[in-house]
């Protein structure tokens, strides 16, 4: 495959690429990536563009709810402790849909969305030793600086040096962006990743180096959704063999919770959803029972689950983003040791109402789980190894694959509920 790149000075850079991803239209979505592939393009590009802006294509969100526009943009070179990444493929998450739609802050436009991806390091800024050009990396929205008290602790994955926020800027250099359009006007970042671009710049705290033998259309899934669900069962809840799990909402994250619960030995995994078709899908990931929410013969979902389990589930997960469902999940937990894990994000300002005496007397736990409680640099490689060892199921999450030019089709598929994850290839 010959790559034709245009430098900022207008020179065309031709180089041979030995990497060849599977066709996005191939019915075999298991993917293929040869660990002996040599990224000749990266060496050539590094000699010609290192330290210089790169002109490339990006899908830019100009106005809320309107189709993304494929535009040529300029991507600045990385600053100290940053790396510039050539994106191989990216997948679409519901968080991208959310921030594509909303009009009020933290919404901001124009912006490059996207945060589930895999790519290759094109160049690095000063003081970067963790990765080098040519390395395969997964950018992850939650930082893992490895220096602060929280990152050094086994009890937390919430970095205190770079607190998580939905910022339009780079994390280490506030009020700065690495994107501009051809008129010189700034384009904002998204979740410190912005993967809907052929090239992006990411802080080293948000990059996890991975084994290049892993298929890129599977590795990208662990940037957000699948990791969040599997991690919530593994790290946050601590699901153990023989336990009972109830999952409210069977989208990608809810099904990933089911996969994590299955992987860590839960024997009963109950799915709760308004769509009964989700049960058949969920069986692939370990669901054993299904509660059709809204059609429970005048009983609440929590009453049905308590009756089914003889007192409530050991672990309940809210994966939709509705305070009413958090309360239902909490009510579905077993007294004494039940845990409710919140993964969904409701609208800003939403509040929970719990009976204080019940909180005291019933002895249940309620906790949030950002990125499933995973530390990106140490836990994501473990999950990828479990996939390569044929233990963790990732293939079933990828239901569609499209070319970059068809990125708006991916939005349509996810909005209509016709896919779990759609992988978008930057180069067909």
């Amino acid at each position: 495959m010959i790559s034709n790149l245009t430098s900022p000075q207008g020179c065309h850079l031709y180089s041979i690429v030995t990497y060849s991803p599977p066709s996005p239209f191939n019915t075999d979505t298991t993917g293929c990536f040869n660990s002996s592939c040599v990224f000749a393009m990266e060496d050539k590009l590094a000699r010609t563009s290192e330290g210089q802006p790169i002109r490339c294509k990006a899908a830019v969100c100009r106005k809320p709810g309107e189709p993304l526009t494929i535009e040529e943009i300029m991507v600045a070179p990385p600053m100290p402790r940053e790396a510039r990444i050539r994106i191989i493929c990216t997948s679409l998450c519901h968080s991208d849909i959310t921030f594509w739609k909303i009009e009020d802050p933290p919404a901001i436009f124009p912006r490059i969305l996207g945060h589930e991806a895999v790519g290759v390091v094109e160049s690095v800024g000063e003081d970067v030793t963790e990765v080098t050009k040519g390395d395969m990396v997964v950018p992850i929205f939650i930082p893992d600086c490895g220096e602060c008290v929280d990152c050094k602790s086994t009890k937390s994955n919430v970095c205190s040096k770079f607190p998580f926020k939905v910022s339009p800027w780079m994390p280490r250099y506030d009020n700065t962006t690495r994107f501009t359009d051809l008129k010189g006007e700034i384009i904002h970042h998204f979740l410190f990743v912005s993967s809907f671009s052929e090239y992006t710049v990411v802080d080293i705290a948000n990059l996890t180096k991975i084994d290049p033998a892993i298929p890129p259309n599977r590795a990208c899934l662990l940037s957000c959704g699948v990791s969040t669900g599997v991690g919530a069962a593994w790290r946050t809840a601590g699901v153990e063999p023989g336990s009972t799990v109830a999952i409210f909402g069977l989208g990608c994250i809810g099904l990933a919770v089911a996969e994590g619960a299955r992987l860590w030995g839960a024997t009963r995994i109950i799915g709760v959803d308004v769509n009964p078709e989700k049960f058949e899908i969920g069986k692939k990931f370990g669901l054993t029972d299904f509660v059709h929410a809204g059609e429970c013969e005048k009983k609440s979902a929590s009453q049905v689950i308590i009756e089914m389990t003889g007192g409530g589930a050991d672990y309940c997960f809210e994966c939709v983003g509705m305070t009413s469902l958090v309360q239902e999940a909490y009510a579905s937990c077993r007294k004494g040791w039940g845990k409710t894990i919140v993964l969904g994000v409701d609208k800003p300002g939403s509040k929970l109402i719990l009976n204080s005496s019940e909180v005291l007397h019933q002895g249940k736990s309620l906790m949030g789980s950002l990125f499933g409680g995973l530390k990106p640099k140490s836990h994501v490689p473990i999950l990828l190894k479990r996939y390569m060892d044929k233990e963790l199921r990732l293939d079933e999450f990828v239901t569609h694959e499209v070319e970059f030019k068809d990125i708006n089709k991916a939005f349509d598929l996810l909005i209509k509920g016709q896919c779990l994850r759609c992988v978008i290839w930057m180069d067909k």
Side-chain angles (χ1 to χ4, degrees):
M1 177 169 58
I2 303 295
S3 176
N4 180 357
L5 300 174
T6 304
S7 74
Q9 294 77 24
C11 300
H12 290 275
L13 312 176
Y14 293 89
S15 54
I16 299 175
V17 185
T18 58
Y19 163 67
S20 180
S23 166
F25 309 105
N26 191 337
T27 55
D28 177 9
T29 59
T30 56
C32 174
F33 193 85
N34 189 338
S35 60
S36 63
C37 286
V38 178
F39 288 88
M41 174 181 168
E42 304 309 321
D43 294 334
K44 174 66 175 178
L45 191 57
R47 290 195 294 270
T48 56
S49 64
E50 189 168 0
Q52 300 296 321
I54 286 179
R55 182 170 173 168
C56 69
K57 291 181 180 179
V60 181
C61 183
R62 291 277 176 186
K63 294 182 180 180
E66 292 190 359
L68 306 186
T69 57
I70 305 293
E71 305 177 16
E72 287 197 335
I73 67 163
M74 302 303 297
V75 182
M79 295 286 284
R81 302 296 291 160
E82 295 177 352
R84 188 160 55 190
I85 311 300
R86 180 175 69 85
I87 298 296
I88 296 173
C89 61
T90 179
S91 47
L92 182 62
C93 173
H94 271 286
S95 295
D96 299 307
I97 300 290
T98 298
F99 284 90
W100 169 69
K101 287 181 177 180
I102 62 175
E103 301 179 10
D104 300 320
I108 192 168
F109 303 94
R111 191 174 216 166
I112 297 175
L113 299 169
H115 63 286
E116 289 190 351
V118 64
V120 177
V121 176
E122 174 270 336
S123 61
V124 299
E126 296 177 5
D127 302 323
V128 173
T129 58
E130 296 90 338
V131 298
T132 187
K133 55 189 177 186
D135 283 345
M136 184 79 75
V137 291
V138 172
I140 296 174
F141 71 94
I142 183 170
D144 186 356
C145 75
E147 302 170 0
C148 70
V149 172
D150 291 279
C151 287
K152 289 180 179 180
S153 170
T154 60
K155 299 177 181 179
S156 171
N157 73 334
V158 181
C159 179
S160 52
K161 184 174 182 179
F162 301 111
F164 172 74
K165 54 186 175 180
V166 184
S167 169
W169 314 113
M170 295 298 293
R172 205 176 296 260
Y173 305 94
D174 203 15
N175 297 320
T176 68
T177 175
R178 303 293 172 264
F179 301 125
T180 55
D181 62 20
L182 297 188
K183 296 178 182 179
E185 297 176 354
I186 68 169
I187 302 175
H188 299 94
H189 291 257
F190 179 62
L191 293 181
F192 308 130
V193 176
S194 291
S195 59
F196 294 166
S197 174
E198 292 178 325
Y199 287 85
T200 188
V201 176
V202 181
D203 193 282
I204 193 63
N206 294 87
L207 283 177
T208 296
K209 183 178 176 179
I210 66 169
D211 183 348
I214 298 165
N217 57 345
R218 299 298 180 262
C220 65
L221 302 182
L222 294 183
S223 282
C224 182
V226 175
S227 286
T228 297
V230 174
W234 170 29
R235 298 290 302 175
T236 307
V239 170
E240 70 277 308
S243 56
T244 297
V245 168
I247 304 166
F248 289 75
L250 297 176
C252 180
I253 290 180
L255 293 173
V257 170
E259 174 63 7
R262 179 199 67 80
L263 196 59
W264 270 271
T267 53
R268 195 168 191 185
I269 304 174
I270 306 165
V272 183
D273 203 283
V274 295
N275 183 356
E277 295 178 3
K278 293 292 184 71
F279 187 28
E280 288 303 314
I281 298 172
K283 287 178 181 178
K284 300 177 183 178
F285 304 99
L287 281 191
T288 60
D289 300 88
F290 182 78
V291 175
H292 190 180
E295 295 189 7
C296 299
E297 299 180 356
K298 299 182 180 180
K299 294 181 181 179
S300 65
S302 59
Q303 288 174 320
V304 173
I305 291 172
I306 289 170
E307 291 177 4
M308 290 172 64
T309 58
D314 301 308
Y315 305 99
C316 293
F317 298 82
E318 197 283 330
C319 304
V320 177
M322 293 175 60
T323 54
S324 59
L325 280 185
V326 174
Q327 290 163 193
E328 272 294 281
Y330 185 79
S332 302
C333 272
R334 182 173 292 276
K335 296 178 182 179
W337 66 71
K339 287 185 181 180
T340 298
I341 315 299
V342 179
L343 299 170
V345 180
D346 206 339
K347 59 185 178 182
S350 298
K351 298 183 184 301
L352 289 171
I353 300 175
L354 298 174
N355 186 302
S356 61
S357 63
E358 290 182 1
V359 171
L360 174 63
H361 297 155
Q362 294 183 356
K364 303 178 182 181
S365 300
L366 174 65
M367 58 195 308
S369 181
L370 185 62
F371 194 58
L374 300 177
K375 289 181 177 294
K377 295 182 189 294
S378 54
H379 293 140
V380 168
I382 292 173
L383 293 181
L384 287 170
K385 184 179 185 305
R386 298 201 73 166
Y387 166 69
M388 295 299 282
D389 290 341
K390 303 187 184 304
E391 298 172 359
L392 174 64
R393 297 168 183 165
L394 291 180
D395 299 339
E396 290 81 359
F397 285 98
V398 179
T399 54
H400 297 78
E401 300 190 348
V402 300
E403 299 177 48
F404 185 39
K405 66 183 180 65
D406 296 322
I407 189 170
N408 288 303
K409 291 182 180 179
F411 275 67
D412 290 340
L413 288 167
L414 194 58
I415 291 169
K416 294 175 181 178
Q418 296 175 350
C419 75
L420 290 180
R421 277 296 183 265
C422 181
V423 172
I424 302 155
W425 289 96
M426 306 306 291
D427 185 343
K428 66 179 179 179

